């Protein structure tokens, strides 16, 4: 996931910024956002948490590693467009539910 984030940072710099936060050094949001996974991606727009419906049931964050750069760019674009329109919950461009993973 780190490689994907680092490689797309230049591509998405016009509409998104990537921040790395160590949850052991900044524990303020750990209980509020249930941050306990090794890698978690969350989206904020103008100091407001933007939720994304990925089909997994957890709309707060992405807590698995994405391997495809274009897939992550599509998610970030979707979140940005929805957040600019004032939406607090956006629908992901792809369904990540387990029903398609057999």
């Amino acid at each position: 996931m780190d490689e994907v984030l680092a490689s797309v940072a230049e591509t998405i710099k016009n509409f998104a910024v990537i921040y790395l936060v160590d949850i052991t050094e900044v524990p303020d949001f750990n209980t509020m956002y249930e941050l306990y996974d090794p890698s978690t991606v969350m989206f904020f727009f103008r100091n407001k948490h933007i939720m994304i419906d990925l089909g997994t049931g957890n709309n707060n964050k992405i807590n698995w590693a994405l391997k495809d750069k274009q897939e992550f760019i599509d998610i970030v674009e979707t979140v940005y467009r929805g957040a600019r329109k004032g939406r607090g919950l956006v629908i992901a461009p792809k369904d990540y539910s387990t029903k398609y993973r057999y």
Side-chain angles (χ1 to χ4, degrees), residues 17-90:
V17 179
I18 297 172
Y19 291 102
L20 175 68
V21 178
D22 186 357
I23 61 172
T24 58
E25 292 183 20
V26 188
D28 299 339
F29 295 106
N30 291 0
T31 54
M32 183 187 308
Y33 294 117
E34 299 171 359
L35 300 176
Y36 47 82
D37 297 312
S39 175
T40 302
V41 177
M42 297 182 71
F43 300 98
F44 293 89
F45 184 78
R46 295 187 179 157
N47 211 18
K48 182 180 177 217
H49 178 230
I50 305 298
M51 295 186 291
I52 179 164
D53 184 4
L54 298 157
T56 60
N58 184 357
N59 295 341
N60 291 322
K61 59 193 173 194
I62 298 173
N63 56 359
W64 66 89
L66 289 170
K67 306 281 186 210
D68 187 18
K69 296 176 192 177
Q70 188 58 47
E71 197 173 325
F72 184 71
I73 291 170
D74 292 343
I75 291 172
V76 172
E77 265 186 63
T78 303
V79 170
Y80 175 69
R81 289 179 184 171
R84 280 196 59 205
K85 293 178 183 175
R87 297 193 176 112
L89 173 67
V90 296

